[in-house]
Amino acid sequence: ASAATSLPEVRKPSLAIDLIVDGKRVTLPDTEPYIDDAGNTMVPIRFVSEKLGADVKWDNANQIVTIIHKGNTIVMPVGSKKVTVNGSEITLDTMAIKKEGRVVVPLRFVSETLNAEVKWDGAWSAVNIVSPEYQEKVNAGSVTLDKWGRELRANQNSKKWILMSDTPDNVYEIKKYKIYHIDGEQVAKEFGQGFHKDELDRIVRNVKEYYKLALNIDYRTINYSTYYNSSFKLLGHNGYMNPEPFQEFVSYIKKNKVIVEGYAYPDPTTIYSYYGTPFIRTKFKFRVLSATDYNQFNADSYKPGDKSEKVTWVKPGQWYETYSDVSLFSNSQDFRATLKIGSTANMFTKGAYRHKELK
């Protein structure tokens, strides 16, 4: 494959925002939630509204989106701050816009107009939307939520994992791999109990921040010093990182004309320790927009060796969802409060990840 002839504009990387709707963590097929300059969380309107049981109609000729839900009608023209709710016009501090072919709208306005409660958890960068009907189930005890507002499966029949209703079985079946070969295993059900929510939030945020860097690379703007210094802050180490591999990597990115966009969504319920290494199972979402060699587009796929698989299935511009374990490291006695990313190669460990195209 050759580099794209029509390159996208330079993008500002976004931190992954977990979107939880009625207890389920949502995977979007393309455009992700983001925070605009006014501080509004913007989301693709169709997916959120339909998850809440609304009917969404798009008038392409007039560039108007209409949401119908339980007798309420919201009409939002793209590019206008004036919208109508049941025939009454109101003015927003932001507007519906088109982004990559999707209509994105301010989340709080639409959700509250659809009579859903919206909560923002900045500690791990997540939005939780709960409909009144779902809240009734929670109050009645017919569903159980974890600390992050996600629904647990009713049948917790695993000895190792806390099973979430939004996670497929094959994710829990991903093979574990050894790094240090000491201390045996502490499974997620046991290991995670030693952490407070704020400690797990910090670990999740660290993984998100690192992959905001490592999965949002543009050969036109990448700078070795910035990339190395940012990696130094986000990776766990003993106080020193050899700069040469980072210099080589940045040079390769420029030579290979890489433009990649992506996000990481660690699951705090899946943190475990395996033969001396803590891991957290993580969902990734990414697409490669430009490259001379699409097999090597970030540090995880660069120079695959004995442990890493050569990524031969990547297609230009296609969004992918992958799951794998991210290793963690700390040399501090304050172990739980200082764990950070432990390796730059987590996504494509041989036999220890899942991937699929998003549609």
Side-chain angles (χ1 to χ4, degrees):
S2 61
T5 55
S6 180
L7 296 177
E9 64 182 24
V10 175
R11 303 166 186 268
K12 180 181 178 181
S14 296
L15 189 70
I17 297 175
D18 274 276
L19 181 59
I20 303 168
V21 182
D22 280 351
K24 308 289 197 303
R25 188 169 63 167
V26 178
T27 298
L28 300 171
D30 38 51
T31 306
E32 284 291 303
Y34 67 95
I35 299 174
D36 68 9
D37 293 338
N40 298 293
T41 302
M42 306 292 287
V43 296
I45 182 57
R46 179 173 299 277
F47 300 106
V48 173
S49 296
E50 289 180 349
K51 289 287 183 182
L52 292 171
D55 182 28
V56 180
K57 297 181 179 179
W58 170 242
D59 181 346
N60 190 57
N62 296 302
Q63 298 286 289
I64 294 174
V65 61
T66 301
I67 306 164
I68 302 170
H69 181 253
K70 295 183 178 178
N72 297 313
T73 302
I74 310 166
V75 180
M76 306 184 75
V78 170
S80 173
K81 291 185 178 181
K82 296 185 182 297
V83 304
T84 59
V85 179
N86 297 331
S88 300
E89 185 177 88
I90 64 174
T91 302
L92 305 178
D93 61 355
T94 187
M95 63 186 73
I97 64 171
K98 288 285 284 291
K99 183 182 180 184
E100 300 174 2
R102 297 286 187 188
V103 177
V104 295
V105 298
L107 170 65
R108 184 169 296 278
F109 167 78
V110 174
S111 298
E112 291 180 350
T113 305
L114 296 175
N115 197 29
E117 184 180 11
V118 178
K119 295 180 180 179
W120 168 251
D121 190 339
W124 67 299
S125 182
V127 172
N128 198 326
I129 307 169
V130 181
S131 67
E133 295 81 3
Y134 190 76
Q135 187 60 53
E136 288 180 6
K137 294 181 180 179
V138 175
N139 295 343
S142 58
V143 295
T144 303
L145 305 181
D146 70 1
K147 300 174 185 177
W148 296 270
R150 292 171 59 208
E151 182 182 313
L152 281 71
R153 295 190 195 180
N155 189 355
Q156 291 291 322
N157 57 357
S158 172
K159 295 181 180 180
K160 295 184 177 181
W161 302 103
I162 301 169
L163 301 177
M164 309 307 298
S165 63
D166 57 20
T167 304
D169 286 339
N170 66 354
V171 171
Y172 295 115
E173 296 165 359
I174 295 173
K175 185 182 77 174
K176 299 175 181 179
Y177 61 97
K178 298 177 184 178
I179 294 180
Y180 293 130
H181 301 265
I182 59 174
D183 292 342
E185 179 180 9
Q186 287 183 278
V187 300
K189 272 191 168 181
E190 299 169 358
F191 191 63
Q193 291 178 358
F195 292 80
H196 298 297
K197 181 179 182 296
D198 60 340
E199 294 169 332
L200 290 169
D201 286 343
R202 187 201 58 77
I203 293 168
V204 167
R205 185 74 180 229
N206 170 255
V207 176
K208 287 186 175 186
E209 291 282 4
Y210 173 75
Y211 277 98
K212 177 184 174 183
L213 172 74
L215 270 178
N216 291 275
I217 293 172
D218 192 323
Y219 76 93
R220 298 166 296 182
T221 58
I222 192 170
N223 173 272
Y224 156 69
S225 295
T226 301
Y227 190 85
Y228 175 79
N229 290 333
S230 297
S231 298
F232 191 90
K233 293 177 182 177
L234 294 167
L235 290 167
H237 48 75
N238 291 309
Y240 173 77
M241 291 196 323
N242 184 359
E244 290 185 9
F246 292 87
Q247 290 174 327
E248 293 175 3
F249 172 69
V250 170
S251 295
Y252 176 81
I253 289 298
K254 292 180 178 180
K255 180 181 178 181
N256 197 28
K257 299 185 183 301
V258 171
I259 303 175
V260 61
E261 177 183 11
Y263 310 86
Y265 302 91
D267 184 344
T269 68
T270 64
I271 192 167
Y272 68 92
S273 178
Y274 195 62
Y275 289 87
T277 304
F279 293 92
I280 186 166
R281 194 146 290 184
T282 300
K283 178 177 74 173
F284 297 92
K285 178 182 170 183
F286 71 91
R287 62 175 175 174
V288 183
L289 295 167
S290 166
T292 302
D293 176 5
Y294 279 86
N295 298 333
Q296 300 183 72
F297 52 84
N298 73 334
D300 295 77
S301 56
Y302 179 56
K303 286 188 175 180
D306 293 339
K307 292 185 177 181
S308 293
E309 184 173 288
K310 187 175 182 180
V311 186
T312 59
W313 38 265
V314 172
K315 302 174 186 176
Q318 170 65 51
W319 281 108
Y320 293 94
E321 176 187 271
T322 67
Y323 280 89
S324 61
D325 289 337
V326 172
S327 65
L328 305 171
F329 173 81
S330 173
N331 66 341
S332 170
Q333 290 184 336
D334 191 6
F335 176 76
R336 292 188 295 272
T338 56
L339 279 173
K340 291 185 177 182
I341 288 270
S343 169
T344 59
N346 302 289
M347 294 177 65
F348 308 113
T349 305
K350 286 182 180 178
Y353 76 95
R354 297 274 190 269
H355 80 275
K356 71 174 184 179
E357 294 184 4
L358 290 174
K359 298 178 181 179

